[in-house]
C-alpha cells in the first residue's frame, strides 16, 4: 500500500515539473495554453499562456502575447509580455513591445526596446515616496537642532 502511494506521489510531482519544448525549426501559429513550463527554441506566432516559467532559447522567437509567472529570454520576443514575477533578459535577448512585470533583470548586451511597467514596484514606490517625504522633513529638523545647539 505505502509503495503505491509513494509512486503516485512521485508521478504527481513529475507531471507538474515536466517541461514542454518547441524545438528549433518548428513554427507554431496559434494560441498555446498549458499548466507546465515551456522551453521555446523554435518560433511561436501567437499567444502563450502558462502559470509557470517560459524560457526562450537563443534560437527561439515569440511574436504575440506571453502571459506567465517568470520568463528567461535569450532569443527574440515581440509583442505583449505580462509576467506576475520576474523577467530575466540574457545578453543575447532582443525584446520589443509592451512589458508588464513584477521584477526585471537585464544582462549587459540585451536589447530592450519596450514600454515597461513594474506593477509590483509601483505600490512600493508610492509608499516609498510617502516615507521619503516624512524622512525629508525629519532630517530637515535635525540639522536645525544641530545648528542651533
Amino acid at each position: 500500500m505505502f509503495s503505491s502511494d509513494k509512486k503516485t506521489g512521485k508521478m504527481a510531482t513529475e507531471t507538474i515539473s515536466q517541461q514542454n519544448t518547441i524545438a528549433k525549426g518548428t513554427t507554431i501559429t496559434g494560441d498555446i495554453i498549458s499548466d507546465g513550463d515551456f522551453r521555446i527554441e523554435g518560433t511561436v506566432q501567437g499567444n502563450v499562456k502558462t502559470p509557470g516559467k517560459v524560457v526562450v532559447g537563443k534560437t527561439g522567437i515569440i511574436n504575440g502575447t506571453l502571459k506567465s509567472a517568470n520568463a528567461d529570454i535569450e532569443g527574440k520576443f515581440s509583442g505583449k509580455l505580462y509576467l506576475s514575477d520576474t523577467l530575466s533578459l540574457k545578453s543575447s535577448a532582443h525584446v520589443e513591445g509592451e512589458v508588464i512585470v513584477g521584477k526585471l533583470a537585464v544582462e549587459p548586451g540585451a536589447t530592450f526596446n519596450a514600454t515597461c511597467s513594474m506593477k509590483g514596484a509601483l505600490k512600493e514606490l508610492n509608499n516609498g515616496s510617502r516615507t521619503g517625504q516624512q524622512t525629508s522633513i525629519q532630517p530637515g529638523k535635525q540639522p536645525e537642532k544641530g545648528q542651533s545647539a
Side-chain angles (χ1 to χ4, degrees), residues 12-33:
T13 56
E14 286 174 4
T15 304
I16 293 169
S17 65
Q18 286 181 348
Q19 186 178 51
N20 298 296
T21 303
I22 298 172
K24 182 179 177 181
T26 302
T27 300
I28 295 179
T29 304
D31 296 344
I32 300 171
I33 300 171

Side-chain angles (χ1 to χ4, degrees), residues 16-88:
I16 293 169
S17 65
Q18 286 181 348
Q19 186 178 51
N20 298 296
T21 303
I22 298 172
K24 182 179 177 181
T26 302
T27 300
I28 295 179
T29 304
D31 296 344
I32 300 171
I33 300 171
S34 175
D35 288 334
D37 296 344
F38 267 93
R39 178 160 190 95
I40 299 171
E41 294 291 345
T43 302
V44 175
Q45 299 282 343
N47 304 321
V48 179
K49 184 177 180 181
T50 179
K53 182 176 185 176
V54 176
V55 176
V56 180
K58 286 187 178 181
T59 59
I61 299 170
I62 296 179
N63 290 317
T65 301
L66 172 59
K67 292 182 181 180
S68 177
N70 296 298
D72 289 352
I73 299 180
E74 297 177 68
K76 295 182 180 180
F77 178 87
S78 180
K80 295 183 179 181
L81 180 59
Y82 301 102
L83 300 179
S84 59
D85 198 15
T86 305
L87 170 61
S88 179

Side-chain angles (χ1 to χ4, degrees), residues 110-136:
T111 302
F112 187 70
N113 293 321
T115 59
C116 183
S117 177
M118 297 181 73
K119 59 183 178 181
L122 187 60
K123 292 178 184 176
E124 293 173 12
L125 186 63
N126 289 338
N127 291 339
S129 65
R130 289 180 191 153
T131 306
Q133 290 173 353
Q134 291 173 354
T135 310
S136 64

